Each structure stands twice: as C-alpha cells, then as structure tokens.
Amino acid sequence: MPRIQVLPEHIANKIAAGEVIQRPDSVVKELLENSFDAGATEITLVVEEGGKKLIQVIDNGMGMDETDAVSSFLRHATSKISTYEDLEAINTYGFRGEALASIAAVARVTLKTRQKEFDVATVVQMEGGKPRVTKEAREPGTTISVHNLFHNVPARRKFLKSNTTEFRHVYETVQRMALSHSHVAIDFVSDGEVVLSLKPAGLKERITDIFGERVTEGIVWMEERTEYIAVCGFIGKPQFGQKTRLNQFLFLNDRFINNRNITHAVFSSYENLLLKGTFPFFVLFIEIDPHRVDVNVHPSKMEAKFEDEHAVYHFISTLVRRTLSSNELIPAMTTTAQGAEVGFAFTSSQHSWPENRGAHQATDWAFPARQSNVGREFADRLLKHPFQEQSVSPEAAGFPTTSAPVWQMHNTYILIQIENGLMVIDQHVAHERVLYERALSRFASANPVTQEVLFPRTMQLTPGDYVLAKELLPHFKKLGFSLNPFGKNTLMVEGVPPDLKGVSETNVLQDVLDLYREYQSKGITDARDALAKSYSCKAAIKAGDKMNDAEMRALIDQLFQTEMPYVCPHGRPVVLKISIEELHKRFGRQ
Ligand code: ADP
Ligand code: MG
C-alpha cells in the first residue's frame, strides 16, 4: 500500500500559515503593510487580549472590488507582482500573496471593503475555507477583523504568551511601522484604551509623539547619498545614550530590518563617546536600488542581504562619525562641573543646524505611501532637493582659525583662542588621534608609504617578540615600516613611516610590540586596530616635549581634519573648551 499521500488543502494551509503567522504581532504587521500598500492615510488598529481575541485594522485605502475581495484569501493571490522580474525588484511590502490566506487558515476572518467607485462595501466571511459574501454600508477603504487567532491550532494557541507579552510585541511592531510612515495617521486601541494616537507628521515630530521630548532633544539629523545608496535619519547624541538597545531602528527601503552588521557600524562609530553600558538611539532609513538587496530571505521579511554589505557598513560608519564630529561634542568647563569633575560635560553646539534642518528635512523626506518605483522616486526627490554642503566653516563650528594666537603650557597643553573662548588641547592625545586615523587609512590603502632610513639598523628581539614581529610583518609594512627578518631574533629596520620624526625607531618598535601584547592579553582580536592604537600611542609626541608655533598649528590643523577629534583612541578627551561667558561669570562680570 502506498504510504505517501498529498495533504488535504486545509492542513497544508495550516502548516504554511505557521511560517507567516507566528503570533498576533505577525498578523498586525501583515495587515498594516497591506493598508500602507493600499495607500491608506488613516489607519486604526484595535486589539483585544494582546491580539489573541481580536485584531482589527480599519483603513481608508483603495479597497477592493468583489472579485478581488474573494480572491484575496487565495494562497499566492496578489495584486503586487505578476512576473519573475517583479520579484527581483520588490517595491511593495506584500508580494507573496500569502498573508490573508494564512491568517484565514488559523483564525476567523471578516473582510469588509469598498472602492470609492462603488456605493456599498463587500463583506467576505471565510467559513471552513469557503467565502460567504454579503453587502453593507461603509466609507471607501478596508476593514479586516481577525478573531480568535489559532482557535483551530491548539498547539499554537498554547504557545502564545500572556496578553501583556503579546501586547508588547504588537506595540513594537506598530512603533516600527509608525516610524517609517510618519505621514500616515495611526490610532492604536488596546482593550478599549487608546495607546497611540498619531497625527500625520514629519519624522522628528513622529519620534516626539512616540518617545517624548526628552529623546527628541538628544538627536541630530544626518543624510548622505551616492549613486548607489542614500541614508538619512536621526541619531542620538552620545550623552543621551540609552540603557537599552531597543530604540534602534533600521529601515531598508522603508521596511524594518534586523541587521547586526549595520547596527554595529553605527554603534562602533561612537567609539568611546558613549558611557559604558549605554547605546545610541537611532532611526535610520537606507534606500538602495531594490535590485541590489534581497529582502526575500525569510517569510517574516525582516532580514535583508545587501549586495555589498561591506560598502554599506563603511558608508554608514563614515556618515555617523562625521555627523557626530560636526556636532561639536567638545567637553566644556562649566560652573556645574568644577575642578576635577570637569569631565565629559558635553555641550551641544550653538550652531546646531542639523536639528533645525532635521525638522525641516524630515518633513521633506517623509516617505510617501508605497508605490511602484519607490527607488526611482526617491532618487528624483533627492535630485530636486540637492544636499547642502555638509561642512560648516571652522569658526562657526567653534574650531580655531589659522591666525588665532597659540601657546604651549608646561610643554603639555596647547592653548588656542577660539571665537567664543579658549580651547585647551592635550598635545599627546591629539597627536595620537591623528596618527591613529592615519594608521587606519594606511591599512586600508594599497600603497604603503615608507621613508628609507639612511643607515639601516639591526634590532635584537626576544624570541617571542621576533615571532610576533614576523607575524605582524605585513601590517607593519602597510604602516610604513620596512623590516627585514635577519635570523637569530634580529630585525633589520630599513624604512619607517614618514611621521616618525626625531624619535628612535627601534624604541618605538619595541614599545609597539609591548603594547600590542598588552592589548592582545585583554582579548582584543582586531590585529590592525590594536597595532594602530599601539603605534599611535608610542609614536605620538609626548607630554613634556617642546613644540614650536608651526608644529602646534600643524597639529591643530591635522586634529580637526580627523573624523573624531574629541576623543583619543582610548577614550580620553582631547579638547576642552572654556567659553568666554564662563570666564566672565567666574570673574563676576555677569
Ligand atoms: P500580498 O500583500 O502579499 O499581496 P496578502 O495576502 O497580504 O498578499 O493580500 C492579498 C491581496 O489582497 C493584496 O495583493 C491586495 O490586492 C489585497 N489587499 C489586502 N489587504 C488590502 C487592503 N487593506 N486594502 C486593499 N487591498 C488589500
Ligand atoms: Mg500583504
């Protein structure tokens, strides 16, 4: 007797439904996406018992006619793609035509929908896989009600968590969708209580409506684009770091995604600016030609693959760094943080263009309801609103100008007059920052820059250091050291990086090896970063070294060309600012 049977359709449907619908929040996500796809500008979501008893989505979108209303429940019935090419470049949220069929397989579903060309709405009730059609009055738009989720799949129903937990998941889903659709009015009612009542807004207002003023005060706008990618959104200032990673939102072509790599790109760009155990807030929109990403990796569609993830990582990391450093994160000496307590009391810039601009731009950038060719649209809009130059003049940003008076104090600190006060720079950490970034860029470049030494020197190492040096040889070479292992634990030093001036190269090399070991013992695994850190620390000018006027100016210049002038690679502050108002206050002039 044959043992293989084709499963009856209602069972196959239940199994497939499990892929798409895991819990109430998956239903909410699918229904809201359908409403956005239908061009709705007002959506109400009603849930009861965390969505277990009822999930209802009411929208004012384009609606469906009777035929479509019935076929919308068929598996793989979709109005959104019809060819394989469409699948290659997905512009709408839905595309599998699976959601309604799946939901109807595991819950009692009623659909009520009206297109504005018709006078009455079609009501479709699915009963035992069969549609029952009636007519009723309704404004144009669609209402879908999902009762008793998993009533016919006890195993699934048992797997659901408490109402509170399921509600929390639903809330998170709504939050994400509300962020990427700030132009859509969204009301969210749970067990008769209004949870969110969001009016159409720009992104910044929407963030305020969801997270409160306190979060909005601490965010800055950033945006950048190339032919390949456009990124815009808000990131939190470091001093507004949050205790949780929950408030980090990444959207790819308006679709919420989880991507640890990209999240890491943002996080790591804060370097040591964040207090330990805090995380930056961010809401970032990445737009890439849909052909160059794959959102089809998982039915829940939250994972995405980039064609060139490395490039995206680098792009975002550079943008975040630049945004942070152009927002004047210089610790300032203030009356409230006296003496030894002068630490990282960050001031936000007087010239905080990004915030104002953000509010304005966010409205401009409010992404429209999804429609086909979003990528093109996006590009067009960008062309119509060309980006303003990012750079602010040095004076306006509170940077020193080239003609400002400079002094060296105790051969350790550089003092320089700036427009609204005095800047104090720690010469060692400043130089360290410069050398660190230079080292990193040398690692990334193909052609090492080295300066041949007139008289190559031999250097005697311990056997352990000799092995380590040989291991690091390719990295040393990129840094600019031309080293030749000579056998018997000796290295011949034939070339050095051009920035090593007036110091003994063999001493520096020995110090770098020692410090590198220390980093290694602390578990730092990125060899290049550890090497860049030890090199910059050991090759930098020391506290106590005399500097002349030209050297100080050159250093200041180079410092403010780095991506992150305000902290050294180890997290120590590089610059401190004393404002003229602060001095006036202390001398009783105010
Ligand atoms: P998909 O969204 O992948 O196409 P769904 O099962 O979610 O599949 O929906 C099936 C079809 O039903 C959609 O393609 C769309 O034509 C229609 N539809 C679903 N929800 C709505 C809605 N709120 N307004 C208008 N049409 C809708
Ligand atoms: Mg859908």
Side-chain angles (χ1 to χ4, degrees):
M1 199 179 101
R3 285 177 299 138
I4 298 177
Q5 290 179 15
V6 174
L7 290 173
E9 196 180 304
H10 68 279
I11 298 186
N13 277 350
K14 271 195 213 171
I15 295 172
E19 281 242 315
V20 186
I21 308 301
Q22 284 103 23
R23 52 188 348 138
D25 78 349
S26 357
V27 176
V28 169
K29 173 170 174 282
E30 295 294 338
L31 296 185
L32 289 180
E33 285 184 350
N34 281 347
S35 297
F36 292 135
D37 280 345
T41 56
E42 281 168 31
I43 300 177
T44 302
L45 165 68
V46 180
V47 301
E48 282 174 25
E49 297 181 5
K52 293 181 199 168
K53 188 168 169 218
L54 173 71
I55 300 163
Q56 185 176 54
V57 172
I58 306 161
D59 73 39
N60 67 347
M62 64 173 74
M64 287 172 265
D65 64 14
E66 185 175 328
T67 320
D68 280 354
V70 172
S71 50
S72 68
F73 286 101
L74 300 175
R75 187 159 300 275
H76 306 304
T78 176
S79 54
K80 298 167 195 171
I81 59 168
S82 49
T83 65
Y84 186 74
E85 283 70 51
D86 290 345
L87 192 57
E88 294 265 284
I90 291 154
N91 283 314
T92 51
Y93 284 115
F95 54 87
R96 294 164 175 266
E98 269 180 333
L100 288 187
S102 300
I103 297 168
V106 295
R108 293 202 170 86
V109 181
T110 310
L111 162 71
K112 188 171 171 184
T113 184
R114 181 189 145 195
Q115 291 188 314
K116 62 176 182 313
E117 297 80 6
F118 296 87
D119 299 331
V120 286
T122 306
V123 181
V124 182
Q125 234 164 333
M126 293 302 285
E127 274 163 20
K130 297 254 162 7
R132 198 169 67 92
V133 180
T134 50
K135 296 285 174 184
E136 248 181 60
R138 192 206 187 279
E139 294 293 299
T142 302
T143 302
I144 298 186
S145 313
V146 178
H147 297 272
N148 300 332
L149 184 64
F150 298 136
H151 69 98
N152 54 354
V153 199
R156 281 267 167 183
R157 178 125 193 131
K158 249 187 9 221
F159 166 82
L160 293 180
K161 300 279 184 326
S162 69
N163 293 354
T164 339
T165 306
E166 294 303 338
F167 166 79
R168 200 164 35 81
H169 288 298
V170 169
Y171 182 81
E172 272 164 26
T173 300
V174 176
Q175 204 177 42
R176 291 166 182 171
M177 308 204 98
L179 283 171
S180 54
H181 293 83
S182 60
H183 61 291
V184 177
I186 299 177
D187 287 300
F188 175 21
V189 180
S190 167
D191 292 331
E193 264 184 66
V194 177
V195 182
L196 287 171
S197 179
L198 304 169
K199 49 188 184 332
L203 180 58
K204 192 168 190 181
E205 276 172 275
R206 178 60 50 108
I207 292 176
T208 311
D209 290 345
I210 297 176
F211 301 100
E213 297 269 353
R214 248 171 37 101
V215 165
T216 326
E217 274 167 25
I219 57 179
V220 288
W221 174 254
M222 61 176 208
E223 62 188 42
E224 179 71 272
R225 71 163 186 132
T226 65
E227 300 263 283
Y228 170 66
I229 179 174
V231 172
C232 71
F234 287 100
I235 58 172
K237 294 180 194 162
Q239 68 274 35
F240 288 83
Q242 309 211 329
K243 291 259 150 51
T244 140
R245 290 171 210 260
L246 280 178
N247 295 334
Q248 306 189 326
F249 302 89
L250 268 186
F251 298 91
L252 173 62
N253 297 340
D254 281 3
R255 195 187 288 275
F256 178 85
I257 56 159
N258 288 311
N259 185 309
R260 292 176 69 177
N261 252 334
I262 304 298
T263 305
H264 183 265
V266 179
F267 179 72
S268 64
S269 304
Y270 281 75
E271 287 197 9
N272 297 301
L273 288 171
L274 286 160
L275 280 178
K276 251 208 156 57
T278 67
F279 305 92
F281 173 93
F282 62 82
V283 179
L284 289 187
F285 295 90
I286 306 171
E287 295 275 338
I288 292 185
D289 178 351
H291 286 99
R292 288 166 171 258
V293 287
D294 184 5
V295 289
N296 200 0
V297 257
H298 189 267
S300 75
K301 292 172 246 154
M302 297 230 285
E303 305 288 331
K305 272 199 195 122
F306 295 92
E307 201 179 81
D308 187 353
E309 190 134 323
H310 190 73
V312 177
Y313 184 101
H314 184 74
F315 184 83
I316 291 185
S317 146
T318 310
L319 179 57
V320 173
R321 277 163 203 266
R322 208 184 52 209
T323 306
L324 290 175
S325 59
S326 62
N327 275 279
E328 208 190 329
L329 303 167
I330 313 173
M333 196 159 118
T334 65
T335 326
T336 45
Q338 288 181 7
E341 281 166 45
V342 177
F344 273 81
F346 289 102
T347 52
S348 81
S349 164
Q350 292 290 308
H351 318 272
S352 57
W353 52 266
E355 264 161 280
N356 306 329
R357 214 159 78 123
H360 155 74
Q361 289 284 355
T363 329
D364 275 4
W365 277 61
F367 295 94
R370 300 207 64 89
Q371 32 195 284
S372 52
N373 262 333
V374 161
R376 265 289 300 287
E377 249 246 346
F378 182 76
D380 287 350
R381 229 160 348 117
L382 287 177
L383 294 174
K384 276 189 227 118
H385 299 275
F387 289 88
Q388 290 149 27
E389 250 313 296
Q390 287 274 347
S391 61
V392 185
S393 76
E395 300 83 3
F399 293 172
T401 55
T402 37
S403 56
V406 208
W407 307 269
Q408 193 187 24
M409 194 178 87
H410 291 271
N411 290 344
T412 301
Y413 295 108
I414 299 170
L415 310 186
I416 182 160
Q417 180 181 315
I418 54 170
E419 194 182 67
N420 54 354
L422 175 74
M423 199 181 259
V424 185
I425 298 172
D426 180 324
Q427 65 189 40
H428 170 68
V429 285
H431 196 203
E432 200 176 353
R433 166 50 71 180
V434 170
L435 293 181
Y436 173 68
E437 287 195 13
R438 213 175 271 171
L440 290 184
S441 77
R442 284 197 191 140
F443 282 138
S445 109
N447 310 312
V449 189
T450 183
Q451 194 171 338
E452 273 182 43
V453 292
L454 228 41
F455 306 103
R457 279 186 209 205
T458 53
M459 185 180 167
Q460 185 69 42
L461 297 170
T462 65
D465 280 351
Y466 187 64
V467 173
L468 179 63
K470 283 214 296 198
E471 205 180 292
L472 295 175
L473 220 54
H475 296 318
F476 271 127
K477 187 165 174 200
K478 285 226 153 173
L479 261 185
F481 285 101
S482 164
L483 307 175
N484 202 348
F486 222 58
K488 292 205 178 122
N489 304 328
T490 21
L491 276 182
M492 181 76 94
V493 185
E494 292 168 351
V496 294
D499 20 53
L500 263 197
K501 281 203 195 89
V503 285
S504 147
E505 58 269 17
T506 51
N507 284 355
V508 169
L509 269 172
Q510 185 60 57
D511 286 348
V512 168
L513 288 173
D514 290 346
L515 192 56
Y516 182 86
R517 270 193 199 291
E518 212 178 304
Y519 286 136
Q520 241 186 353
S521 71
K522 285 183 196 151
I524 294 173
T525 44
D526 183 348
R528 290 166 164 214
D529 194 60
L531 199 58
K533 280 188 175 138
S534 25
Y535 167 72
S536 56
C537 178
K538 293 307 173 186
I541 187 163
K542 303 269 172 302
D545 289 348
K546 178 100 196 106
M547 294 178 83
N548 64 30
D549 197 78
E551 287 167 340
M552 287 191 282
R553 285 182 194 286
L555 177 59
I556 294 168
D557 248 23
Q558 291 162 6
L559 175 66
F560 285 102
Q561 277 169 34
T562 61
E563 282 180 353
M564 187 64 78
Y566 311 113
V567 273
C568 87
H570 307 98
R572 274 161 56 193
V574 176
V575 212
L576 178 73
K577 208 172 70 177
I578 304 170
S579 72
I580 192 85
E581 297 95 60
E582 183 60 29
L583 287 172
H584 287 336
K585 217 182 285 167
R586 293 198 177 220
F587 286 105
R589 282 181 180 274
Q590 278 178 355

